[in-house]
Amino acid sequence: MNPNVKRLLGLMLVILVCLSTTTATFRTYAALPNQLRLFEGQQTKLDLVMPVQASATVDRPDILRVNGENRPTFQLSPNRPISLQSAQSGQAELKLKLFGGIPLKTLKVNVVPNLRVIPGGQTIGVKVKSAGILVVGHHLVKVEGERKVSPGEEAGVRLGDLITSMNGNRLNDVSKVADIVKQAGENKRPLDLVIRRGDTEVKAQLTPAYDQEDKTWRLGLYIRDSAAGVGTLTFYAPDQGVYGALGHIITDMDTQTPIVVGQGEIVQSHVTSISKSQNGEPGEKRAQFVKESRVLGNIERNTPFGIFGKMVSNPEHSVYKEPIPVAFREEVKVGPAEMLTVVNGQQVERYKIEVVHVTKQSAPATKGMVIRITDPRLLQKTGGIVQGMSGSPIIQDGKLIGAVTHVFVNDPSSGYGCFIEWMLQDAGVVLASPQSMNEQGKVHVQRDPSFSFSSRRSHQSSGYVESIRMNTKTVGSLDKSLIIIEKFKK
């Protein structure tokens, strides 16, 4: 064949391919997912433009119905969307073919049991006790003359270490430490420590030093064991008897380490006032525990997506009295939504917001969407998102889609939210992800180190008492709120 003819044919082929990629058929085909998740009874549409004859087969018509039919093979109408409806839990495979024989697309559909939860929005009091004694600093002990030492630092104890045992005694209370230290000091014997450092267990020996000024035995460590504050409830799942709140992890400002929960509880709280947000300075909710308030639930986990535990009933002041559906992360879209939160007392109110950006995530990560407050009432009262709103539930199209997690410091009307799917996973309510069709529920957790406690110190005769506030320097946390922790010098 003439080389010029070959080049001409090749050029025509390239032009034909380029033109075909701009057609509606190609664009809709390229947008089709390889995998799809549905709840039982959920219906959705695939907007696939098919200008030619096509057919579809489904291997499990008892699980997935196509265009209202529960048979395995059928013809598709040209230029009409395909309707899919799930009938029961399980996995089905839908195959699309052109002219009855040319493979076009294979779609795996995973149908999970229907899940409904009650959105929260209530301001809650949070009381947490760590699973040991947290080391938050070193200090020097004056032992003789002008010589000062820090036994803890010399023993290799680090900031952020969690001391779980001392001389074989399990530690869960700071008040137990003094007697153990005194006994070891008087007997001139080192203390055997068991330390949790990250995910590893470390053993160390520490010899107490006698403080010549205070006339007592010291470890040369600042330690504490508890925290308390306020946050926002995100959801209550009545069928599972669990809840989720805050939307982010609680870490310690001094050590930048997450608090390992030993035990804890959430109680009723009410908002007393609001400090409005301004550009460069996020505002905050000021709130107090309700006096003699009943315990709403326990705290079992502190994760990158909040705190989780058991709850036996829906708390008072709920906007929703009955459960509503939850959304998969792929269902969240740019557009109007609403947020539930408290700005005065205990009354939960609805406020209009806009989802302005949605991030595609294949594994758990905290910043799933960008939101903007559009409700003039909330902007007037708070200036936008304030610290203390983290965990406020986000509703879109009648479904719970996520929770508020961050505020942008330089634009308080905007902030981040996380997908509700990740919070449900950490609460023990597992939603099947696309990967789990091929992998057995493998979950990769991404920790966000920006959340922490910041502190304000006032000197006390017995040691230090701190007013601790949740804070994130990157974009401003949402729980800068009345958190008191005892920090003892030992």
Side-chain angles (χ1 to χ4, degrees):
M1 183 181 292
N2 189 309
N4 292 329
V5 174
K6 284 185 177 181
R7 283 195 292 270
L8 180 61
L9 290 175
L11 179 61
M12 292 177 64
L13 181 60
V14 170
I15 293 173
L16 182 62
V17 170
C18 292
L19 289 174
S20 68
T21 60
T22 64
T23 63
T25 301
F26 181 85
R27 290 197 303 270
T28 54
Y29 168 77
L32 276 180
N34 294 318
Q35 299 173 331
L36 181 66
R37 293 184 294 169
L38 297 172
F39 288 107
E40 287 179 346
Q42 185 178 356
Q43 187 170 341
T44 189
K45 290 183 178 180
L46 298 179
D47 294 319
L48 180 62
V49 179
M50 302 287 287
V52 297
Q53 182 183 5
S55 64
T57 60
V58 59
D59 63 343
R60 293 291 305 273
D62 57 323
I63 292 176
L64 184 68
R65 296 177 181 175
V66 181
N67 291 340
E69 303 286 345
N70 61 351
R71 50 194 176 90
T73 305
F74 39 86
Q75 298 298 311
L76 300 178
S77 301
N79 296 318
R80 290 189 179 181
I82 303 171
S83 174
L84 303 179
Q85 184 173 13
S86 56
Q88 62 179 359
S89 299
Q91 295 183 14
E93 191 173 83
L94 176 68
K95 294 183 177 181
L96 303 177
K97 297 180 179 181
L98 296 177
F99 305 109
I102 302 176
L104 175 65
K105 187 78 172 182
T106 297
L107 178 65
K108 293 182 179 180
V109 181
N110 191 34
V111 181
V112 300
N114 196 15
L115 175 62
R116 291 171 176 260
V117 300
I118 300 178
Q122 296 92 336
T123 298
I124 54 172
V126 180
K127 301 177 181 179
V128 179
K129 204 166 182 64
S130 61
I133 303 302
L134 183 65
V135 177
V136 297
H138 298 115
H139 76 88
L140 295 174
V141 180
K142 187 175 182 180
V143 291
E144 56 181 350
E146 296 300 318
R147 192 168 75 90
K148 297 181 179 181
V149 298
S150 174
E153 189 171 11
E154 291 178 357
V157 179
R158 303 177 186 174
L159 272 66
D161 281 354
L162 190 70
I163 304 174
T164 59
S165 174
M166 191 175 286
N167 277 359
N169 299 292
R170 297 292 299 177
L171 293 181
N172 55 13
D173 194 324
V174 164
S175 63
K176 296 180 179 179
V177 174
D179 289 341
I180 300 175
V181 174
K182 180 181 178 182
Q183 184 177 9
E186 290 177 346
N187 292 331
K188 301 187 184 306
R189 291 182 179 178
L191 291 164
D192 292 319
L193 306 182
V194 178
I195 296 169
R196 178 172 174 175
R197 182 175 294 160
D199 295 328
T200 62
E201 184 176 276
V202 178
K203 294 184 178 180
Q205 283 196 330
L206 187 157
T207 302
Y210 189 74
D211 192 325
Q212 296 292 338
E213 291 182 339
D214 295 338
K215 307 302 180 183
T216 189
W217 292 95
R218 298 288 193 192
L219 297 174
L221 299 173
Y222 288 112
I223 58 176
R224 59 172 167 245
D225 64 0
S226 62
V230 296
T232 301
L233 180 70
T234 305
F235 68 87
Y236 164 57
D239 291 341
Q240 293 79 17
V242 297
Y243 76 90
L246 297 188
H248 63 72
I249 198 168
I250 303 173
T251 61
D252 184 84
M253 180 62 173
D254 291 327
T255 64
Q256 298 297 316
T257 56
I259 293 179
V260 180
V261 176
Q263 57 184 335
E265 60 189 24
I266 59 174
V267 298
Q268 293 175 314
S269 180
H270 72 276
V271 177
T272 57
S273 63
I274 297 287
S275 170
K276 290 182 66 172
S277 286
Q278 300 177 3
N279 286 348
E281 186 176 350
E284 65 176 303
K285 287 185 183 183
R286 297 188 180 99
Q288 296 177 349
F289 292 5
V290 176
K291 188 177 181 180
E292 298 179 356
S293 60
R294 66 184 180 88
V295 174
L296 301 176
N298 69 348
I299 301 173
E300 296 180 348
R301 288 180 295 281
N302 174 33
T303 83
F305 297 95
I307 56 173
F308 305 90
K310 298 288 192 304
M311 181 179 283
V312 297
S313 63
N314 187 32
E316 298 174 353
H317 309 291
S318 291
V319 169
Y320 291 86
K321 305 303 179 184
E322 298 296 331
I324 67 171
V326 301
F328 292 116
R329 62 184 182 276
E330 58 266 26
E331 295 182 89
V332 181
K333 61 186 179 183
V334 171
E338 68 177 16
M339 179 181 76
L340 306 180
T341 198
V342 176
V343 295
N344 184 42
Q346 294 179 274
Q347 185 61 47
V348 181
E349 297 182 73
R350 304 172 187 257
Y351 295 101
K352 294 179 181 179
I353 67 170
E354 188 87 9
V355 178
V356 298
H357 176 75
V358 179
T359 303
K360 290 185 178 180
Q361 295 179 341
S362 59
T366 53
K367 302 181 180 82
M369 66 188 92
V370 177
I371 63 171
R372 181 173 63 242
I373 305 296
T374 58
D375 198 307
R377 297 175 303 142
L378 190 58
L379 291 172
Q380 175 64 30
K381 292 178 180 178
T382 66
I385 302 173
V386 298
Q387 299 175 93
M389 282 184 184
S390 62
S392 297
I394 302 171
I395 315 293
Q396 187 178 63
D397 295 334
K399 294 183 177 182
L400 178 60
I401 65 170
V404 181
T405 58
H406 296 64
V407 58
F408 294 159
V409 171
N410 294 324
D411 179 13
S413 66
S414 300
Y416 283 117
C418 69
F419 294 125
I420 194 61
E421 182 172 342
W422 307 136
M423 292 188 71
L424 289 168
Q425 283 189 3
D426 281 0
V429 182
V430 179
L431 298 179
S433 64
Q435 297 98 318
S436 67
M437 300 182 193
N438 302 314
E439 305 177 32
Q440 297 301 311
K442 184 184 293 184
V443 176
H444 305 282
V445 175
Q446 172 183 309
R447 295 185 179 273
D448 186 340
S450 61
F451 297 103
S452 60
F453 287 107
S454 64
S455 61
R456 187 173 64 233
R457 297 184 180 181
S458 58
H459 203 67
Q460 302 287 319
S461 59
S462 60
Y464 289 95
V465 178
E466 296 183 330
S467 176
I468 305 298
R469 297 181 172 188
M470 299 179 191
N471 185 31
T472 171
K473 298 299 184 182
T474 308
V475 291
S477 98
L478 307 178
D479 284 292
K480 186 180 180 185
S481 49
L482 304 183
I483 297 180
I484 307 299
I485 293 182
E486 295 291 336
K487 177 179 175 182
F488 291 94
K489 181 171 70 174
K490 290 295 179 187

